[in-house]
Amino acid sequence: MKCTSCKQGILNPSFIEGQFRAHTCSACEGNWILIEDFVAWKDRNPDYQFSDEISFEQEVSDTKKALLCPVTGTIMNKFRISAQNDHRVDYSAAVGGLWLDRCEWELLKAEGLAGTLNAVVTKQWQQQIREQSTKQNFSDIYKDKFGDENYAKVKAFREWLQQHPQKADLRAYLLADDPYSAEK
């Protein structure tokens, strides 16, 4: 198979860390992994833990352009790996294949995601990332608007209020123009 990323190298059979099957590009060192191979290996090795102690000096490449599946030639989807990292991996739903650019495997290990490689491409995982990103975006907006110290105080107060048994009365008190007046 020709490399889907650099279009120059050949995808040669290999193993990721000597553990599960992949195909590695002879030119750009990217990896083509079939999720079914990873899952089968994971089923046979349920207790295996990938080391998260990573030392890679090279910058992790992230292909911005759309990649074609090396098997079917169809456009692959890009999936974010976590809410804290904008990095994306390429996935072919047609064959269940995942393309990892050079050093992306090391990045997945560093993020603690190597053992859950198959989960990254699920709808639930991506939904969770979107929800976490949205919460972080709102948090950043509030910090910018209120300042870090005020945001921390109001956030703590809000959490206290949510847990209080008289929260409805407390909210009414706080929102009243004059809580001591008999008039509206």
Side-chain angles (χ1 to χ4, degrees):
M1 285 185 288
K2 269 260 206 230
C3 178
T4 188
S5 183
C6 73
K7 312 245 186 297
Q8 297 170 10
I10 301 296
L11 297 179
N12 296 313
S14 63
F15 284 87
I16 301 289
E17 293 190 19
Q19 298 298 317
F20 59 92
R21 287 188 295 199
H23 286 82
T24 303
C25 177
S26 59
C28 71
E29 300 176 7
N31 292 293
W32 174 248
I33 301 166
L34 292 177
I35 293 296
E36 68 184 49
D37 288 340
F38 174 79
V39 170
W41 171 84
K42 192 74 174 147
D43 285 346
R44 290 188 308 274
N45 301 280
D47 297 326
Y48 187 86
Q49 297 291 319
F50 291 102
S51 169
D52 58 0
E53 293 180 24
I54 309 302
S55 62
F56 54 99
E57 289 96 41
Q58 301 169 354
E59 188 174 321
V60 180
S61 57
D62 188 8
T63 306
K64 300 297 180 195
K65 63 182 179 182
L67 295 182
L68 299 178
C69 171
V71 177
T72 64
T74 58
I75 294 176
M76 294 194 285
N77 296 313
K78 294 197 174 287
F79 287 91
R80 281 185 61 187
I81 61 172
S82 72
Q84 297 76 28
N85 193 320
D86 285 334
H87 203 87
R88 298 173 188 271
V89 294
D90 300 276
Y91 178 68
S92 171
V95 295
L98 189 65
W99 176 258
L100 300 179
D101 291 313
R102 188 178 84 219
C103 294
E104 280 184 333
W105 173 250
E106 287 76 12
L107 175 64
L108 289 168
K109 286 177 28 177
E111 294 278 332
L113 301 173
T116 57
L117 187 60
N118 54 317
V120 172
V121 296
T122 63
K123 188 182 218 178
Q124 295 84 358
W125 187 276
Q126 295 302 308
Q127 178 65 30
Q128 183 180 15
I129 289 174
R130 283 190 294 280
E131 289 170 6
Q132 290 171 349
S133 294
T134 300
K135 285 181 183 178
Q136 186 59 51
N137 288 341
F138 276 114
S139 180
D140 292 344
I141 289 168
Y142 292 137
K143 282 181 189 176
D144 287 345
K145 189 173 193 127
F146 305 144
D148 289 343
E149 186 178 334
N150 288 335
Y151 176 63
K153 286 179 184 177
V154 76
K155 187 176 175 186
F157 179 77
R158 186 179 195 295
E159 290 169 5
W160 170 82
L161 183 61
Q162 291 292 80
Q163 301 301 317
H164 200 283
Q166 294 175 313
K167 63 183 167 191
D169 292 334
L170 289 168
R171 280 190 196 129
Y173 175 83
L174 290 171
L175 294 175
D177 286 338
D178 181 0
Y180 305 106
S181 170
E183 297 180 27
K184 281 189 170 182

